[in-house]
Amino acid sequence: SLAKASQVLDEPLYHQAAINAAKFVLKELCSSGSLQRYWRTKPSRQPAYAEDYAAFIFGLIELYQSDFDSTWLEQALHIQKQLDAQFWDPTLGGYFQENGKDTSLIVRTKQQYDGVVPSSNSLAAYNLLRLYALCGDEQMRTKVEQIFSLYAETLQKNPSSLKFMLVAL
């Protein structure tokens, strides 16, 4: 939001706040190599969900588009690779909510709708399209097509349940 506000309002304070927020997340919540879910006086031990990765990638892309500093695009691509490695379903496509490391879970689920916050798959589809446009990586386009295919029936029968995916589509 800060990065977008800095673009729209041409406000340097918002831009600097966006940079500070991104640096904080990268330093405090990604230092272990994987994104952590939250921070309170120290990073949590709870790994982030796919939606956390997708939302952070979205923010990094916005930050890149606010100043065209390649650092933010490189970080977005790096986090996208982590999202793909930990959450991508190689069988049906789309992203699971959980990374699959919690053996107490019987099933790995995928979000089926966009609520107040877009689902991980809707955000990821939008991010992948933007990254594809910026980098030209065909694998990203292929993943988006698989996400759209996975959710095609829902998009046809109940499009309002995936509002943000419609934005990507």
Side-chain angles (χ1 to χ4, degrees), residues 7-164:
Q7 294 171 47
V8 173
L9 302 173
D10 193 26
E11 176 53 64
L13 291 174
Y14 294 156
H15 183 253
Q16 190 57 52
I19 289 171
N20 293 345
K23 285 181 176 179
F24 177 84
V25 172
L26 289 167
K27 179 182 176 201
E28 298 293 337
L29 296 172
C30 292
S31 62
S32 66
S34 292
L35 190 61
Q36 298 301 303
R37 180 102 170 126
Y38 61 88
W39 186 93
R40 184 177 173 176
T41 68
K42 62 181 180 179
S44 71
R45 292 185 189 179
Q46 181 180 2
Y49 294 110
E51 65 192 22
D52 301 316
Y53 280 84
F56 188 43
I57 294 164
F58 182 91
L60 288 168
I61 295 168
E62 287 295 332
L63 190 51
Y64 170 70
Q65 291 186 324
S66 72
D67 64 9
F68 299 105
D69 179 342
S70 63
T71 301
W72 310 122
L73 179 57
E74 290 166 10
Q75 289 296 331
L77 291 167
H78 175 71
I79 303 294
Q80 181 64 50
K81 285 180 184 174
Q82 290 181 8
L83 176 63
D84 293 342
Q86 295 181 48
F87 298 92
W88 182 254
D89 179 353
T91 305
L92 299 176
Y95 293 95
F96 292 111
Q97 280 184 268
E98 309 82 13
N99 63 14
K101 294 180 182 176
D102 184 350
T103 57
S104 68
L105 295 175
I106 299 170
V107 177
R108 291 178 76 190
T109 60
K110 296 176 189 166
Q111 291 176 310
Q112 298 296 316
Y113 64 91
D114 292 338
V116 174
V117 176
S119 70
S120 55
N121 280 289
S122 293
L123 265 175
Y126 190 74
N127 290 342
L128 285 165
L129 285 170
R130 293 169 81 194
L131 291 171
Y132 170 70
L134 292 166
C135 302
D137 184 341
E138 283 295 325
Q139 289 180 341
M140 292 177 179
R141 185 168 179 230
T142 300
K143 277 187 169 42
V144 172
E145 290 171 357
Q146 289 176 311
I147 292 170
F148 288 156
S149 177
L150 178 66
Y151 290 97
E153 186 176 337
T154 302
L155 287 166
Q156 289 173 351
K157 291 183 178 178
N158 190 11
S160 65
S161 67
L162 289 168
K163 296 171 204 69
F164 200 77

